[in-house]
Amino acid sequence: MAHETEVYGDDDGFMLLGDSDDIRQALAELQIEEKHTIDISKAAILKSAQRAAKMFGKSQECSGRWVKRTKESAEKARNHGLLRNNSTGNLMGVIGQGGKGGIKGNVQFEKIAGGFTPAKVANIEMLMLTMALEQAMKEMTDYLKQIDAKVDQILRQQKNAELAKFLSVAGLVSEAENELQHIDSLSDATWDQLNNSAQTVNEVQQYSLLQLKDIADRIYSAADTKTAKDTLTKARPSIGEWLAVAADCLRLRDRIDILKVQRFIDTDIEPDLLGKHRFVIAENRRTRYRSLTDTTANLQQAVKNVVQGKDDTMRVILLPMDAPVVVREGNEIASALARFDKALGKEYAVPHFAEKQWDQAMGEAGQAIADGAGQLVHQAGDVLAEGTKQVGNVANEAGNQIKKMFGSFPKLW
């Protein structure tokens, strides 16, 4: 059928295949700007003419565009009634030309010129996977440049033999990529090295997650008025360092997975087995990403507990020089975590903690005491104990008046 654009979708994005003009018209119908899409001819897996011919056959000359899945693009695709492939769970459909509106919607895949075969679907879904991997690698590379990460220095400081192995993995991957570029295939020896390298990368990523969990635990335990400032100040650079290590691990695993996909294509395995390999790679990747987003969410909650927890009022009253530092460090950490989540493709609003003013804190303390919540003062421990008693005496005599009484005092920072 002429003037038809095939549309495929998975958890990471959507791909449009067909004539370049038809694709532009389909993108316009979907209200997706072409500048937000990626030309599939740039995919590493298609750099080999032999591999491209094997994957697409006579249709290799078709144009193609891939767009990253977002809430907006998913909604637009859903509105066009893409069908779900029962065997893979992914989406597919056809946008065809016709009628006054120029778009007649979806037609059955069986009507596509060249036929709808399991091999074709398996190859296209593998191509979509590599497009998502390459986009993720680009975003992670941009993130590491943005924070000026020096992962090799961080790992050398650990004096850990297992971590030191990671430093050689990037070299092995680069050699494999070079071999594939010039010879068009990977030798068994190179492939064995890559498999071992993947295990090393996984171990280093798990180590980085453990480091971030330990930091989160220390922050949770620093909800004490007197220790919050020092804990957050020390934690901030360490969080940045281990996020950089985790980011580099993700990027390297994606590079290995792209090489793995190309080897699967080159070995001519059955479409069903190819689809299973694709599922495993995608599922393992989602698990790696989920473990990191869970870690950053835990850190965000730990910081929030300290900055805006039960002790923030007494911190402002008793340690007025520490309180703004706690808020500032908390905001810096929250922003760093949000930048990392964005690099992961997670839509995340950067939290912002506002400084509580001294007169506001005094008003809250006085009201709490007047209401019988004496625990608020007790949280201060031995810090300025005598002064705290005096505040308590005043508050007991005139609870609701404390904010008014202290509101005229000059701010201490």
Side-chain angles (χ1 to χ4, degrees):
M1 261 187 182
H3 305 300
E4 289 179 342
T5 300
E6 301 172 34
V7 184
Y8 301 84
D10 59 14
D11 290 336
D12 297 307
F14 297 92
M15 182 176 293
L16 287 78
L17 298 177
D19 179 79
S20 57
D21 291 335
D22 293 337
I23 290 177
R24 290 191 187 94
Q25 186 173 358
L27 288 172
E29 174 68 14
L30 292 169
Q31 297 180 324
I32 296 174
E33 295 184 48
E34 188 171 347
K35 66 180 181 181
H36 294 152
T37 67
I38 299 174
D39 187 344
I40 67 169
S41 66
K42 299 182 183 300
I45 196 172
L46 298 180
K47 294 298 183 183
S48 163
Q50 180 180 355
R51 192 178 301 112
K54 183 183 296 186
M55 293 184 71
F56 290 102
K58 294 180 180 179
S59 63
Q60 64 176 303
E61 295 181 0
C62 288
S63 297
R65 287 277 166 179
W66 181 85
V67 58
K68 184 177 179 179
R69 186 186 183 100
T70 62
K71 288 182 180 178
E72 292 76 14
S73 62
E75 182 64 27
K76 291 167 183 175
R78 191 160 47 245
N79 289 340
H80 280 267
L82 294 183
L83 305 175
R84 189 166 295 281
N85 185 323
N86 291 331
S87 62
T88 67
N90 293 323
L91 301 172
M92 52 192 186
V94 176
I95 294 179
Q97 188 172 0
K100 294 181 180 180
I103 299 293
K104 67 177 182 181
N106 297 305
V107 298
Q108 294 300 314
F109 258 77
E110 287 79 358
K111 297 179 181 179
I112 296 175
F116 167 50
T117 65
K120 179 178 181 178
V121 173
N123 286 329
I124 288 175
E125 290 187 346
M126 271 298 196
L127 175 58
M128 286 196 294
L129 174 62
T130 64
M131 296 296 292
L133 290 171
E134 290 184 12
Q135 179 63 19
M137 285 162 44
K138 178 183 180 302
E139 292 173 355
M140 208 56 66
T141 299
D142 291 343
Y143 167 77
L144 290 168
K145 287 180 179 178
Q146 179 186 14
I147 65 173
D148 191 25
K150 297 178 174 61
V151 175
D152 55 342
Q153 295 181 15
I154 298 168
L155 294 180
R156 287 194 185 100
Q157 292 170 2
Q158 302 304 306
K159 308 298 182 184
N160 185 305
E162 290 302 315
L163 297 182
K165 295 178 182 177
F166 177 84
L167 302 178
S168 66
V169 172
L172 291 174
V173 173
S174 295
E175 290 176 6
E177 291 169 338
N178 190 47
E179 180 178 325
L180 195 61
Q181 179 182 353
H182 289 88
I183 304 177
D184 247 2
S185 63
L186 293 177
S187 66
D188 291 340
T190 300
W191 182 242
D192 289 341
Q193 286 182 317
L194 285 177
N195 277 332
N196 294 332
S197 298
Q199 178 62 30
T200 298
V201 177
N202 287 346
E203 290 172 357
V204 175
Q205 180 175 324
Q206 288 303 313
Y207 186 85
S208 68
L209 293 179
L210 287 174
Q211 297 301 310
L212 291 168
K213 182 182 181 301
D214 287 345
I215 295 171
D217 290 342
R218 289 198 294 272
I219 294 175
Y220 272 118
S221 65
D224 178 273
T225 302
K226 296 172 289 185
T227 60
K229 184 191 75 170
D230 289 343
T231 300
L232 290 181
T233 301
K234 292 177 181 178
R236 181 165 60 84
S238 296
I239 290 173
E241 290 176 349
W242 290 112
L243 287 178
V245 173
D248 205 26
C249 288
L250 286 177
R251 182 176 60 170
L252 209 47
R253 273 310 309 266
D254 285 348
R255 290 172 67 187
I256 293 172
D257 281 345
I258 287 179
L259 292 169
K260 184 184 297 185
V261 169
Q262 292 177 85
R263 180 173 171 85
F264 289 150
I265 297 295
D266 293 342
T267 52
D268 292 322
I269 62 178
E270 292 297 318
D272 182 58
L273 183 56
L274 186 63
K276 290 178 180 178
H277 278 301
R278 180 203 171 280
F279 174 82
V280 170
I281 292 173
E283 185 63 24
N284 288 342
R285 180 169 174 264
R286 279 193 292 270
T287 298
R288 290 195 295 272
Y289 274 62
R290 190 160 51 243
S291 65
L292 276 166
T293 55
D294 288 347
T295 299
T296 56
N298 185 41
L299 277 164
Q300 289 281 23
Q301 187 59 51
V303 172
K304 183 178 180 180
N305 284 1
V306 170
V307 178
Q308 293 185 329
K310 61 182 181 179
D311 285 340
D312 66 331
T313 296
M314 295 311 298
R315 185 182 302 122
V316 172
I317 296 172
L318 301 176
L319 300 170
M321 301 302 291
D322 286 7
V325 178
V326 170
V327 173
R328 184 170 63 248
E329 293 292 332
N331 280 325
E332 289 287 338
I333 294 173
S335 295
L337 293 170
R339 284 196 299 272
F340 181 75
D341 281 345
K342 182 180 179 182
L344 291 178
K346 180 179 177 182
E347 297 180 13
Y348 192 90
V350 182
H352 179 75
F353 305 115
E355 292 186 21
K356 182 176 291 186
Q357 301 303 317
W358 188 80
D359 56 345
Q360 178 188 354
M362 286 301 300
E364 292 176 0
Q367 188 62 55
I369 296 170
D371 291 341
Q375 180 64 23
L376 186 62
V377 174
H378 179 70
Q379 292 168 8
D382 296 329
V383 182
L384 299 180
E386 187 59 34
T388 304
K389 291 178 182 178
Q390 294 175 10
V391 171
N393 291 336
V394 173
N396 284 324
E397 294 174 7
N400 286 326
Q401 299 299 317
I402 283 188
K403 183 173 182 179
K404 181 178 179 181
M405 292 169 58
F406 287 94
S408 61
F409 277 35
K411 292 180 174 57
L412 303 182
W413 68 88

